[in-house]
Amino acid sequence: MLQWLMTHERSPLPILQIPPYLVNEHYDDRYFDVVNAIEEAKHIYFRGAGIIDALSAAGAGRKEFRIGETGFGAGRLLIAFMDFLDNCGITDLVITYNSVELHPVASERMASILDGFRTEAGPLIDLLVLAYGRVEISRPGWHSIQFTRPFGALTLNLWIGEALEMVHALTIPCDAWFLDGHGPKKNPAMWRHELLMAKGEKTVTGGTCATFTVAGEVRRGLTSAGFSVEQRPGFGGKKSVLKGLKL
Ligand SMILES: C[S@@+](CC[C@H](N)C(=O)[O-])C[C@H]1O[C@@H](n2cnc3c(N)ncnc32)[C@H](O)[C@@H]1O
């Protein structure tokens, strides 16, 4: 079944026919589109948030950069991000990757969810699953994992708990946000006004955000939170996606 999904541009299958481990039972929604999930992440989030431009603008030498992600899920975005940075030609990066997950999956399930793109990112999947397997996911609050990569160093700070708690717990604002918390119809709480406002406050001026949804309430919410938002071409069947610039 998964092989079928991976070889078709966009799955016309109803969600009930998707393997159950790919569906987040709390929201009755997939963790991500199973087709080209790594490339999709690079298009929507990393190019959308202008990561390379921002890193290049920082000039030569050690560059610190802070990401915020909601929510962590199976870590597909983190894997795609490390793959993206490994191949970006920039080194001496010091990345802080803050993420949050209200319903953490066990590492065995993470491995199953990520298995569909093992061909593209097998070693990174093994690295993350091994490190995540040591995280005490039943304990709320921050958990940190360090990765050393060709691009430099990345620290994953994973908050187990609710997204607003995590945003409030950030002591330093982020340079870019990846907003990936299921769509507003399936999970309105992830797009609520209070949370988007808090993210705006925890974003540097000139910082960015990116998301797959162009829903009107998301565009209005991000605008209220201080972002200038713009639709850009989508990927793999999505007509358009959203990027934001913090004014
Ligand atoms: C679409 S999935 C994320 C996929 C993930 N970025 C990836 O690429 O694997 C959204 C995640 O957000 C989590 N989530 C939903 N609402 C949340 C909330 N209010 N606070 C924290 N996490 C939440 C869900 O449990 C789910 O794992």
Side-chain angles (χ1 to χ4, degrees):
M1 171 65 72
L2 186 56
Q3 190 54 41
W4 189 95
L5 292 166
M6 298 297 291
T7 53
H8 286 68
E9 187 56 22
R10 186 149 176 84
S11 164
L13 295 177
I15 198 157
L16 284 177
Q17 291 176 257
I18 303 285
Y21 58 85
L22 289 175
V23 175
N24 186 336
E25 61 276 20
H26 301 280
Y27 303 94
D28 187 27
D29 195 21
R30 295 179 222 185
Y31 280 98
F32 42 77
D33 275 353
V34 286
V35 180
N36 291 328
I38 297 277
E39 281 311 307
E40 182 208 60
K42 292 176 183 176
H43 175 80
I44 299 178
Y45 295 97
F46 317 147
R47 294 188 196 107
I51 299 294
I52 296 299
D53 287 348
L55 293 176
S56 304
R62 189 173 181 269
K63 287 172 270 294
E64 291 189 19
F65 202 76
R66 293 177 181 275
I67 301 292
E69 178 196 32
T70 50
F72 185 68
R76 179 265 321 217
L77 274 191
L78 175 60
I79 284 176
F81 192 52
M82 289 200 276
D83 185 53
F84 179 77
L85 293 179
D86 278 348
N87 293 293
C88 77
I90 303 176
T91 52
D92 284 338
L93 297 176
V94 181
I95 306 285
T96 303
Y97 192 101
N98 303 300
S99 191
V100 59
E101 182 51 57
L102 186 56
H103 305 288
V105 293
S107 58
E108 295 78 13
R109 179 154 176 212
M110 172 187 267
S112 301
I113 295 172
L114 298 176
D115 199 48
F117 42 89
R118 179 158 283 285
T119 320
E120 297 105 295
L124 278 170
I125 293 171
D126 290 341
L127 190 68
L128 178 61
V129 170
L130 184 69
Y132 178 84
R134 299 192 190 109
V135 172
E136 197 190 334
I137 55 173
S138 59
R139 180 172 61 77
W142 289 122
H143 300 260
S144 288
I145 303 176
Q146 317 282 338
F147 297 96
T148 302
R149 300 296 311 163
F151 60 77
L154 184 146
T155 302
L156 165 66
N157 292 324
L158 176 61
W159 179 275
I160 302 293
E162 212 281 324
L164 187 61
E165 297 170 352
M166 173 271 214
V167 179
H168 283 161
L170 291 176
T171 52
I172 306 178
C174 294
D175 297 290
W177 281 93
F178 306 150
L179 311 179
D180 190 21
H182 298 297
K185 284 202 171 62
K186 295 276 185 180
N187 186 19
M190 199 57 130
W191 307 97
R192 68 195 192 272
H193 182 75
E194 188 188 19
L195 178 55
L196 295 181
M197 293 299 285
K199 286 177 183 173
E201 284 164 22
K202 293 287 170 70
T203 309
V204 301
T205 302
T208 57
C209 67
T211 185
F212 64 93
T213 174
V214 295
E217 62 263 44
V218 172
R219 286 186 276 128
R220 288 187 292 278
L222 287 172
T223 304
S224 301
F227 291 91
S228 140
V229 296
E230 190 188 315
Q231 293 190 38
R232 52 189 286 273
F235 182 91
K238 285 190 182 73
K239 194 166 162 235
S240 34
V241 294
L242 209 63
K243 70 174 190 181
L245 174 70
K246 181 77 193 315
L247 302 173

